[in-house]
Amino acid sequence: MIEKIISRLQLLNYEVKDNDIFALKFVLQKVESHVKNFCNINEIPVGLENVVIDSVCGEFLLQKKAAGQLTGAQIDGVVKKIKDGDTEVEFATGGDTGTAFDSYMNNLTSGHEECLLKYRRLCW
């Protein structure tokens, strides 16, 4: 799953370095533990792999930002507006990029409860 996480991070404008691997594995274990405990399961089902990948990426990037390890170019480029007719994409710029970045990362890390509920098992 680490390879998929690295590919997803590249799509999110972050190039993974060798010293990021430990942090990625740590965050992956944390997210997997949360999902397994919430759902009361022993294995991550295929249907939840993308949820786990997005959660890991979002949490990892938020930690990098909090540590001051993200450049402005990595935080910039968050989509602010998408128009469907004649395909227009507007990227957040200036002072609103940090807020847009945080909002997008929070979207990656949370809001998956309905997906998790599908796989939740009762515990006696």
Short mmCIF file of all heavy atoms in Angstrom, two decimals, residues 38-109:
data_model
loop_
_atom_site.label_atom_id
_atom_site.label_comp_id
_atom_site.label_asym_id
_atom_site.label_seq_id
_atom_site.Cartn_x
_atom_site.Cartn_y
_atom_site.Cartn_z
N PHE A 38 -12.34 0.85 14.69
CA PHE A 38 -13.68 1.39 14.47
C PHE A 38 -14.61 0.33 13.90
O PHE A 38 -15.76 0.22 14.31
CB PHE A 38 -13.62 2.60 13.53
CG PHE A 38 -14.95 3.24 13.27
CD1 PHE A 38 -15.45 4.19 14.14
CD2 PHE A 38 -15.72 2.88 12.17
CE1 PHE A 38 -16.70 4.77 13.93
CE2 PHE A 38 -16.96 3.45 11.95
CZ PHE A 38 -17.45 4.40 12.83
N CYS A 39 -14.10 -0.43 12.94
CA CYS A 39 -14.93 -1.43 12.26
C CYS A 39 -14.93 -2.78 12.96
O CYS A 39 -15.71 -3.66 12.61
CB CYS A 39 -14.45 -1.61 10.82
SG CYS A 39 -14.65 -0.15 9.80
N ASN A 40 -14.03 -2.96 13.95
CA ASN A 40 -13.89 -4.24 14.64
C ASN A 40 -13.56 -5.36 13.65
O ASN A 40 -14.21 -6.39 13.61
CB ASN A 40 -15.14 -4.57 15.46
CG ASN A 40 -14.89 -5.70 16.44
OD1 ASN A 40 -13.78 -5.86 16.94
ND2 ASN A 40 -15.91 -6.50 16.68
N ILE A 41 -12.52 -5.12 12.84
CA ILE A 41 -12.07 -6.09 11.84
C ILE A 41 -10.56 -6.29 12.00
O ILE A 41 -9.89 -5.49 12.65
CB ILE A 41 -12.40 -5.62 10.40
CG1 ILE A 41 -11.82 -4.23 10.12
CG2 ILE A 41 -13.90 -5.64 10.16
CD1 ILE A 41 -12.04 -3.72 8.72
N ASN A 42 -10.04 -7.36 11.42
CA ASN A 42 -8.62 -7.67 11.52
C ASN A 42 -7.83 -7.29 10.27
O ASN A 42 -6.61 -7.17 10.33
CB ASN A 42 -8.41 -9.16 11.81
CG ASN A 42 -8.95 -9.54 13.16
OD1 ASN A 42 -8.87 -8.78 14.12
ND2 ASN A 42 -9.53 -10.72 13.23
N GLU A 43 -8.48 -7.15 9.16
CA GLU A 43 -7.84 -6.82 7.88
C GLU A 43 -8.57 -5.63 7.24
O GLU A 43 -9.78 -5.50 7.40
CB GLU A 43 -7.89 -8.01 6.91
CG GLU A 43 -7.17 -9.25 7.39
CD GLU A 43 -5.66 -9.11 7.32
OE1 GLU A 43 -5.17 -8.42 6.42
OE2 GLU A 43 -4.99 -9.68 8.20
N ILE A 44 -7.82 -4.83 6.49
CA ILE A 44 -8.44 -3.72 5.76
C ILE A 44 -9.04 -4.29 4.48
O ILE A 44 -8.32 -4.84 3.64
CB ILE A 44 -7.41 -2.63 5.41
CG1 ILE A 44 -6.77 -2.06 6.67
CG2 ILE A 44 -8.04 -1.54 4.56
CD1 ILE A 44 -7.69 -1.27 7.55
N PRO A 45 -10.37 -4.19 4.30
CA PRO A 45 -10.98 -4.71 3.07
C PRO A 45 -10.59 -3.85 1.85
O PRO A 45 -10.26 -2.68 1.99
CB PRO A 45 -12.48 -4.61 3.34
CG PRO A 45 -12.66 -3.96 4.64
CD PRO A 45 -11.33 -3.67 5.23
N VAL A 46 -10.65 -4.45 0.69
CA VAL A 46 -10.31 -3.76 -0.55
C VAL A 46 -11.15 -2.49 -0.71
O VAL A 46 -10.66 -1.46 -1.17
CB VAL A 46 -10.50 -4.71 -1.77
CG1 VAL A 46 -10.29 -3.97 -3.07
CG2 VAL A 46 -9.57 -5.90 -1.66
N GLY A 47 -12.39 -2.54 -0.30
CA GLY A 47 -13.28 -1.39 -0.43
C GLY A 47 -12.88 -0.20 0.41
O GLY A 47 -13.37 0.91 0.18
N LEU A 48 -12.00 -0.38 1.37
CA LEU A 48 -11.56 0.73 2.22
C LEU A 48 -10.12 1.18 1.94
O LEU A 48 -9.62 2.08 2.59
CB LEU A 48 -11.69 0.36 3.70
CG LEU A 48 -13.10 0.26 4.25
CD1 LEU A 48 -13.08 -0.15 5.71
CD2 LEU A 48 -13.84 1.58 4.08
N GLU A 49 -9.47 0.56 0.98
CA GLU A 49 -8.08 0.91 0.70
C GLU A 49 -7.93 2.37 0.28
O GLU A 49 -7.03 3.06 0.75
CB GLU A 49 -7.50 0.00 -0.38
CG GLU A 49 -7.13 -1.36 0.13
CD GLU A 49 -6.47 -2.24 -0.93
OE1 GLU A 49 -6.23 -1.76 -2.07
OE2 GLU A 49 -6.20 -3.41 -0.61
N ASN A 50 -8.80 2.86 -0.57
CA ASN A 50 -8.69 4.26 -1.01
C ASN A 50 -8.98 5.23 0.13
O ASN A 50 -8.38 6.31 0.19
CB ASN A 50 -9.61 4.54 -2.20
CG ASN A 50 -9.12 3.87 -3.46
OD1 ASN A 50 -7.93 3.58 -3.61
ND2 ASN A 50 -10.03 3.59 -4.38
N VAL A 51 -9.87 4.86 1.03
CA VAL A 51 -10.14 5.68 2.21
C VAL A 51 -8.88 5.77 3.06
O VAL A 51 -8.50 6.85 3.52
CB VAL A 51 -11.32 5.10 3.02
CG1 VAL A 51 -11.46 5.78 4.36
CG2 VAL A 51 -12.61 5.22 2.23
N VAL A 52 -8.23 4.63 3.26
CA VAL A 52 -6.99 4.60 4.05
C VAL A 52 -5.90 5.42 3.36
O VAL A 52 -5.22 6.22 4.01
CB VAL A 52 -6.52 3.14 4.29
CG1 VAL A 52 -5.13 3.10 4.88
CG2 VAL A 52 -7.51 2.42 5.20
N ILE A 53 -5.75 5.26 2.06
CA ILE A 53 -4.72 5.99 1.32
C ILE A 53 -4.93 7.49 1.42
O ILE A 53 -4.00 8.24 1.72
CB ILE A 53 -4.68 5.53 -0.15
CG1 ILE A 53 -4.13 4.10 -0.23
CG2 ILE A 53 -3.86 6.48 -1.02
CD1 ILE A 53 -4.31 3.44 -1.58
N ASP A 54 -6.15 7.96 1.20
CA ASP A 54 -6.42 9.40 1.31
C ASP A 54 -6.21 9.90 2.73
O ASP A 54 -5.67 10.99 2.94
CB ASP A 54 -7.85 9.71 0.84
CG ASP A 54 -7.92 9.93 -0.66
OD1 ASP A 54 -6.87 9.91 -1.33
OD2 ASP A 54 -9.05 10.12 -1.17
N SER A 55 -6.62 9.13 3.71
CA SER A 55 -6.44 9.54 5.10
C SER A 55 -4.96 9.65 5.45
O SER A 55 -4.54 10.59 6.12
CB SER A 55 -7.12 8.55 6.06
OG SER A 55 -8.52 8.59 5.90
N VAL A 56 -4.17 8.69 5.01
CA VAL A 56 -2.73 8.72 5.26
C VAL A 56 -2.11 9.95 4.60
O VAL A 56 -1.33 10.68 5.22
CB VAL A 56 -2.05 7.42 4.78
CG1 VAL A 56 -0.53 7.56 4.79
CG2 VAL A 56 -2.48 6.25 5.63
N CYS A 57 -2.45 10.19 3.35
CA CYS A 57 -1.88 11.33 2.62
C CYS A 57 -2.25 12.65 3.29
O CYS A 57 -1.39 13.52 3.48
CB CYS A 57 -2.36 11.33 1.17
SG CYS A 57 -1.68 9.97 0.20
N GLY A 58 -3.51 12.80 3.64
CA GLY A 58 -3.95 14.04 4.28
C GLY A 58 -3.27 14.27 5.61
O GLY A 58 -2.78 15.37 5.90
N GLU A 59 -3.21 13.24 6.44
CA GLU A 59 -2.58 13.39 7.74
C GLU A 59 -1.08 13.64 7.61
O GLU A 59 -0.51 14.47 8.31
CB GLU A 59 -2.84 12.15 8.60
CG GLU A 59 -2.40 12.34 10.02
CD GLU A 59 -2.99 11.32 10.97
OE1 GLU A 59 -4.09 10.81 10.72
OE2 GLU A 59 -2.33 11.07 11.99
N PHE A 60 -0.44 12.94 6.69
CA PHE A 60 0.99 13.12 6.46
C PHE A 60 1.29 14.56 6.03
O PHE A 60 2.20 15.20 6.56
CB PHE A 60 1.48 12.12 5.40
CG PHE A 60 2.90 12.31 5.00
CD1 PHE A 60 3.94 11.88 5.81
CD2 PHE A 60 3.21 12.93 3.79
CE1 PHE A 60 5.26 12.06 5.43
CE2 PHE A 60 4.54 13.10 3.41
CZ PHE A 60 5.56 12.67 4.23
N LEU A 61 0.53 15.08 5.07
CA LEU A 61 0.78 16.44 4.58
C LEU A 61 0.46 17.49 5.63
O LEU A 61 1.16 18.51 5.73
CB LEU A 61 0.00 16.69 3.29
CG LEU A 61 0.50 15.91 2.08
CD1 LEU A 61 -0.44 16.09 0.89
CD2 LEU A 61 1.92 16.32 1.72
N LEU A 62 -0.56 17.26 6.45
CA LEU A 62 -0.85 18.19 7.53
C LEU A 62 0.29 18.21 8.55
O LEU A 62 0.66 19.28 9.06
CB LEU A 62 -2.17 17.84 8.21
CG LEU A 62 -3.43 18.26 7.47
CD1 LEU A 62 -4.67 17.70 8.17
CD2 LEU A 62 -3.53 19.78 7.37
N GLN A 63 0.86 17.05 8.84
CA GLN A 63 2.00 16.99 9.77
C GLN A 63 3.22 17.70 9.18
O GLN A 63 3.94 18.41 9.88
CB GLN A 63 2.35 15.54 10.10
CG GLN A 63 1.36 14.87 11.00
CD GLN A 63 1.70 13.41 11.27
OE1 GLN A 63 2.76 12.92 10.89
NE2 GLN A 63 0.80 12.71 11.94
N LYS A 64 3.46 17.50 7.88
CA LYS A 64 4.58 18.17 7.22
C LYS A 64 4.39 19.69 7.25
O LYS A 64 5.33 20.44 7.49
CB LYS A 64 4.73 17.71 5.77
CG LYS A 64 5.15 16.27 5.60
CD LYS A 64 6.52 16.02 6.14
CE LYS A 64 7.54 16.03 5.05
NZ LYS A 64 8.88 15.64 5.54
N LYS A 65 3.17 20.14 7.03
CA LYS A 65 2.89 21.58 7.05
C LYS A 65 3.09 22.12 8.46
O LYS A 65 3.70 23.17 8.65
CB LYS A 65 1.48 21.87 6.57
CG LYS A 65 1.18 23.36 6.55
CD LYS A 65 -0.23 23.67 6.15
CE LYS A 65 -0.44 25.17 6.23
NZ LYS A 65 -1.80 25.51 6.51
N ALA A 66 2.60 21.40 9.47
CA ALA A 66 2.72 21.85 10.85
C ALA A 66 4.19 21.94 11.27
O ALA A 66 4.56 22.80 12.07
CB ALA A 66 1.97 20.91 11.78
N ALA A 67 5.02 21.07 10.71
CA ALA A 67 6.45 21.08 11.03
C ALA A 67 7.22 22.10 10.18
O ALA A 67 8.44 22.23 10.32
CB ALA A 67 7.03 19.69 10.82
N GLY A 68 6.52 22.80 9.28
CA GLY A 68 7.16 23.79 8.43
C GLY A 68 8.01 23.18 7.33
O GLY A 68 8.95 23.80 6.85
N GLN A 69 7.68 21.96 6.93
CA GLN A 69 8.47 21.25 5.94
C GLN A 69 7.86 21.23 4.55
O GLN A 69 8.33 20.50 3.68
CB GLN A 69 8.73 19.81 6.42
CG GLN A 69 9.52 19.76 7.70
CD GLN A 69 9.67 18.35 8.23
OE1 GLN A 69 9.01 17.42 7.78
NE2 GLN A 69 10.55 18.19 9.20
N LEU A 70 6.83 22.02 4.32
CA LEU A 70 6.24 22.13 2.99
C LEU A 70 6.58 23.50 2.42
O LEU A 70 6.54 24.50 3.13
CB LEU A 70 4.72 21.96 3.03
CG LEU A 70 4.18 20.58 3.33
CD1 LEU A 70 2.66 20.59 3.28
CD2 LEU A 70 4.71 19.55 2.35
N THR A 71 6.90 23.54 1.15
CA THR A 71 7.19 24.81 0.49
C THR A 71 5.89 25.47 0.05
O THR A 71 4.85 24.82 -0.01
CB THR A 71 8.09 24.58 -0.74
OG1 THR A 71 7.36 23.80 -1.69
CG2 THR A 71 9.37 23.89 -0.37
N GLY A 72 5.98 26.72 -0.30
CA GLY A 72 4.81 27.43 -0.79
C GLY A 72 4.23 26.81 -2.03
O GLY A 72 3.03 26.77 -2.22
N ALA A 73 5.10 26.28 -2.90
CA ALA A 73 4.64 25.65 -4.14
C ALA A 73 3.83 24.39 -3.86
O ALA A 73 2.92 24.05 -4.60
CB ALA A 73 5.82 25.32 -5.04
N GLN A 74 4.16 23.69 -2.77
CA GLN A 74 3.43 22.48 -2.43
C GLN A 74 2.07 22.82 -1.83
O GLN A 74 1.12 22.06 -1.98
CB GLN A 74 4.24 21.61 -1.48
CG GLN A 74 5.46 21.02 -2.14
CD GLN A 74 6.45 20.46 -1.14
OE1 GLN A 74 6.66 21.03 -0.09
NE2 GLN A 74 7.05 19.35 -1.49
N ILE A 75 1.99 23.93 -1.13
CA ILE A 75 0.73 24.35 -0.53
C ILE A 75 -0.14 25.05 -1.57
O ILE A 75 -1.34 24.90 -1.59
CB ILE A 75 0.97 25.26 0.69
CG1 ILE A 75 1.69 24.46 1.77
CG2 ILE A 75 -0.32 25.85 1.20
CD1 ILE A 75 2.14 25.29 2.95
N ASP A 76 0.51 25.82 -2.47
CA ASP A 76 -0.22 26.47 -3.56
C ASP A 76 -0.72 25.40 -4.51
O ASP A 76 -0.30 24.27 -4.49
CB ASP A 76 0.68 27.43 -4.34
CG ASP A 76 1.02 28.66 -3.52
OD1 ASP A 76 0.34 28.92 -2.52
OD2 ASP A 76 1.99 29.36 -3.89
N GLY A 77 -1.59 25.76 -5.37
CA GLY A 77 -2.07 24.81 -6.36
C GLY A 77 -3.28 24.05 -5.91
O GLY A 77 -3.75 23.15 -6.59
N VAL A 78 -3.81 24.40 -4.74
CA VAL A 78 -5.05 23.78 -4.30
C VAL A 78 -6.18 24.38 -5.13
O VAL A 78 -6.27 25.60 -5.29
CB VAL A 78 -5.29 24.03 -2.79
CG1 VAL A 78 -6.63 23.49 -2.36
CG2 VAL A 78 -4.17 23.42 -1.98
N VAL A 79 -7.03 23.54 -5.64
CA VAL A 79 -8.12 24.01 -6.50
C VAL A 79 -9.11 24.82 -5.67
O VAL A 79 -9.56 24.39 -4.63
CB VAL A 79 -8.83 22.82 -7.18
CG1 VAL A 79 -10.03 23.32 -7.97
CG2 VAL A 79 -7.86 22.10 -8.09
N LYS A 80 -9.41 26.02 -6.15
CA LYS A 80 -10.35 26.89 -5.47
C LYS A 80 -11.74 26.79 -6.11
O LYS A 80 -12.74 26.81 -5.43
CB LYS A 80 -9.84 28.33 -5.54
CG LYS A 80 -10.74 29.35 -4.90
CD LYS A 80 -10.12 30.74 -5.00
CE LYS A 80 -10.99 31.79 -4.37
NZ LYS A 80 -10.39 33.12 -4.51
N LYS A 81 -11.77 26.67 -7.44
CA LYS A 81 -13.04 26.68 -8.16
C LYS A 81 -12.91 25.84 -9.42
O LYS A 81 -11.90 25.90 -10.11
CB LYS A 81 -13.38 28.13 -8.52
CG LYS A 81 -14.62 28.34 -9.32
CD LYS A 81 -14.81 29.82 -9.58
CE LYS A 81 -15.62 30.07 -10.81
NZ LYS A 81 -15.70 31.48 -11.14
N ILE A 82 -13.96 25.07 -9.70
CA ILE A 82 -14.01 24.28 -10.93
C ILE A 82 -15.31 24.61 -11.64
O ILE A 82 -16.37 24.57 -11.03
CB ILE A 82 -13.95 22.76 -10.64
CG1 ILE A 82 -12.65 22.41 -9.95
CG2 ILE A 82 -14.12 21.97 -11.91
CD1 ILE A 82 -12.56 20.97 -9.51
N LYS A 83 -15.22 24.96 -12.91
CA LYS A 83 -16.40 25.24 -13.72
C LYS A 83 -16.49 24.15 -14.77
O LYS A 83 -15.52 23.87 -15.47
CB LYS A 83 -16.27 26.61 -14.38
CG LYS A 83 -17.46 27.01 -15.20
CD LYS A 83 -17.24 28.36 -15.83
CE LYS A 83 -18.37 28.68 -16.77
NZ LYS A 83 -18.10 29.91 -17.52
N ASP A 84 -17.61 23.52 -14.91
CA ASP A 84 -17.75 22.37 -15.81
C ASP A 84 -17.89 22.77 -17.27
O ASP A 84 -17.21 22.26 -18.13
CB ASP A 84 -18.93 21.51 -15.36
CG ASP A 84 -18.92 20.14 -16.00
OD1 ASP A 84 -17.96 19.82 -16.72
OD2 ASP A 84 -19.88 19.39 -15.78
N GLY A 85 -18.76 23.71 -17.57
CA GLY A 85 -18.95 24.14 -18.95
C GLY A 85 -17.72 24.85 -19.47
O GLY A 85 -17.27 25.82 -18.87
N ASP A 86 -17.14 24.42 -20.54
CA ASP A 86 -15.89 24.93 -21.11
C ASP A 86 -14.70 24.74 -20.18
O ASP A 86 -13.67 25.39 -20.31
CB ASP A 86 -16.00 26.40 -21.52
CG ASP A 86 -16.88 26.59 -22.72
OD1 ASP A 86 -16.79 25.79 -23.68
OD2 ASP A 86 -17.67 27.55 -22.70
N THR A 87 -14.82 23.90 -19.22
CA THR A 87 -13.76 23.43 -18.32
C THR A 87 -12.83 24.53 -17.84
O THR A 87 -11.82 24.83 -18.47
CB THR A 87 -12.93 22.32 -18.99
OG1 THR A 87 -13.79 21.39 -19.59
CG2 THR A 87 -12.07 21.62 -17.99
N GLU A 88 -13.15 25.14 -16.76
CA GLU A 88 -12.33 26.18 -16.15
C GLU A 88 -11.92 25.72 -14.76
O GLU A 88 -12.75 25.32 -13.95
CB GLU A 88 -13.12 27.49 -16.04
CG GLU A 88 -12.40 28.59 -15.33
CD GLU A 88 -13.28 29.82 -15.17
OE1 GLU A 88 -14.08 30.10 -16.07
OE2 GLU A 88 -13.19 30.46 -14.13
N VAL A 89 -10.64 25.75 -14.47
CA VAL A 89 -10.13 25.39 -13.15
C VAL A 89 -9.39 26.59 -12.60
O VAL A 89 -8.49 27.13 -13.25
CB VAL A 89 -9.18 24.17 -13.21
CG1 VAL A 89 -8.63 23.87 -11.84
CG2 VAL A 89 -9.90 22.97 -13.78
N GLU A 90 -9.75 27.04 -11.40
CA GLU A 90 -9.09 28.18 -10.76
C GLU A 90 -8.38 27.68 -9.51
O GLU A 90 -8.98 27.01 -8.66
CB GLU A 90 -10.14 29.24 -10.39
CG GLU A 90 -9.56 30.47 -9.75
CD GLU A 90 -10.65 31.48 -9.40
OE1 GLU A 90 -11.70 31.47 -10.04
OE2 GLU A 90 -10.42 32.25 -8.46
N PHE A 91 -7.09 28.00 -9.40
CA PHE A 91 -6.32 27.59 -8.25
C PHE A 91 -6.30 28.69 -7.21
O PHE A 91 -6.30 29.88 -7.54
CB PHE A 91 -4.88 27.25 -8.66
CG PHE A 91 -4.79 26.01 -9.50
CD1 PHE A 91 -4.76 26.08 -10.88
CD2 PHE A 91 -4.76 24.76 -8.90
CE1 PHE A 91 -4.69 24.94 -11.65
CE2 PHE A 91 -4.70 23.61 -9.67
CZ PHE A 91 -4.66 23.70 -11.04
N ALA A 92 -6.29 28.28 -5.95
CA ALA A 92 -6.21 29.24 -4.85
C ALA A 92 -4.84 29.91 -4.87
O ALA A 92 -3.83 29.27 -5.09
CB ALA A 92 -6.43 28.54 -3.52
N THR A 93 -4.83 31.22 -4.66
CA THR A 93 -3.57 31.96 -4.65
C THR A 93 -3.57 32.94 -3.49
O THR A 93 -4.62 33.25 -2.92
CB THR A 93 -3.37 32.75 -5.95
OG1 THR A 93 -4.50 33.62 -6.13
CG2 THR A 93 -3.25 31.84 -7.15
N GLY A 94 -2.40 33.44 -3.16
CA GLY A 94 -2.29 34.46 -2.13
C GLY A 94 -2.60 33.94 -0.74
O GLY A 94 -2.23 32.83 -0.38
N GLY A 95 -3.29 34.76 0.04
CA GLY A 95 -3.53 34.46 1.44
C GLY A 95 -4.48 33.32 1.71
O GLY A 95 -4.50 32.77 2.79
N ASP A 96 -5.31 32.95 0.73
CA ASP A 96 -6.29 31.90 0.99
C ASP A 96 -5.77 30.50 0.72
O ASP A 96 -6.46 29.52 0.95
CB ASP A 96 -7.57 32.15 0.18
CG ASP A 96 -7.35 32.11 -1.33
OD1 ASP A 96 -6.19 32.15 -1.76
OD2 ASP A 96 -8.35 32.06 -2.05
N THR A 97 -4.50 30.36 0.28
CA THR A 97 -3.99 29.03 -0.05
C THR A 97 -3.83 28.15 1.17
O THR A 97 -4.11 26.97 1.11
CB THR A 97 -2.65 29.11 -0.81
OG1 THR A 97 -1.72 29.82 0.00
CG2 THR A 97 -2.81 29.77 -2.14
N GLY A 98 -3.38 28.71 2.28
CA GLY A 98 -3.20 27.92 3.49
C GLY A 98 -4.52 27.37 3.99
O GLY A 98 -4.63 26.21 4.38
N THR A 99 -5.55 28.19 3.97
CA THR A 99 -6.88 27.76 4.39
C THR A 99 -7.44 26.72 3.44
O THR A 99 -8.01 25.72 3.87
CB THR A 99 -7.83 28.97 4.47
OG1 THR A 99 -7.25 29.96 5.33
CG2 THR A 99 -9.19 28.57 4.99
N ALA A 100 -7.27 26.94 2.15
CA ALA A 100 -7.75 25.97 1.16
C ALA A 100 -7.01 24.66 1.29
O ALA A 100 -7.60 23.58 1.20
CB ALA A 100 -7.60 26.54 -0.26
N PHE A 101 -5.71 24.72 1.53
CA PHE A 101 -4.90 23.51 1.72
C PHE A 101 -5.40 22.74 2.94
O PHE A 101 -5.63 21.52 2.86
CB PHE A 101 -3.43 23.89 1.90
CG PHE A 101 -2.53 22.71 2.16
CD1 PHE A 101 -2.03 21.97 1.11
CD2 PHE A 101 -2.18 22.36 3.46
CE1 PHE A 101 -1.20 20.88 1.35
CE2 PHE A 101 -1.35 21.29 3.70
CZ PHE A 101 -0.86 20.55 2.66
N ASP A 102 -5.57 23.43 4.06
CA ASP A 102 -6.06 22.78 5.28
C ASP A 102 -7.43 22.16 5.07
O ASP A 102 -7.70 21.05 5.51
CB ASP A 102 -6.12 23.77 6.45
CG ASP A 102 -4.74 24.18 6.94
OD1 ASP A 102 -3.75 23.49 6.59
OD2 ASP A 102 -4.65 25.18 7.65
N SER A 103 -8.29 22.88 4.39
CA SER A 103 -9.63 22.38 4.12
C SER A 103 -9.59 21.11 3.27
O SER A 103 -10.29 20.14 3.55
CB SER A 103 -10.46 23.46 3.41
OG SER A 103 -11.72 22.97 3.07
N TYR A 104 -8.75 21.11 2.23
CA TYR A 104 -8.64 19.94 1.37
C TYR A 104 -8.04 18.76 2.12
O TYR A 104 -8.50 17.63 1.98
CB TYR A 104 -7.82 20.28 0.13
CG TYR A 104 -7.78 19.14 -0.87
CD1 TYR A 104 -8.94 18.71 -1.50
CD2 TYR A 104 -6.59 18.48 -1.15
CE1 TYR A 104 -8.92 17.65 -2.40
CE2 TYR A 104 -6.56 17.43 -2.05
CZ TYR A 104 -7.72 17.02 -2.67
OH TYR A 104 -7.70 15.97 -3.55
N MET A 105 -7.03 19.00 2.94
CA MET A 105 -6.42 17.91 3.72
C MET A 105 -7.40 17.35 4.74
O MET A 105 -7.46 16.14 4.96
CB MET A 105 -5.15 18.39 4.43
CG MET A 105 -4.00 18.73 3.49
SD MET A 105 -3.55 17.39 2.37
CE MET A 105 -3.99 18.08 0.79
N ASN A 106 -8.19 18.22 5.35
CA ASN A 106 -9.22 17.75 6.29
C ASN A 106 -10.28 16.93 5.56
O ASN A 106 -10.81 15.97 6.11
CB ASN A 106 -9.86 18.92 7.04
CG ASN A 106 -8.94 19.49 8.08
OD1 ASN A 106 -8.10 18.78 8.65
ND2 ASN A 106 -9.05 20.78 8.34
N ASN A 107 -10.56 17.28 4.33
CA ASN A 107 -11.49 16.49 3.52
C ASN A 107 -10.93 15.10 3.25
O ASN A 107 -11.66 14.12 3.23
CB ASN A 107 -11.78 17.22 2.20
CG ASN A 107 -12.80 16.49 1.36
OD1 ASN A 107 -13.79 15.97 1.86
ND2 ASN A 107 -12.56 16.43 0.07
N LEU A 108 -9.60 15.02 3.04
CA LEU A 108 -8.98 13.71 2.82
C LEU A 108 -8.99 12.85 4.09
O LEU A 108 -9.13 11.64 4.01
CB LEU A 108 -7.52 13.88 2.36
CG LEU A 108 -7.29 14.39 0.95
CD1 LEU A 108 -5.80 14.58 0.70
CD2 LEU A 108 -7.88 13.45 -0.09
N THR A 109 -8.82 13.48 5.24
CA THR A 109 -8.66 12.71 6.48
C THR A 109 -9.96 12.41 7.19
O THR A 109 -10.01 11.51 8.02
CB THR A 109 -7.74 13.46 7.47
OG1 THR A 109 -8.29 14.74 7.75
CG2 THR A 109 -6.34 13.59 6.92
#
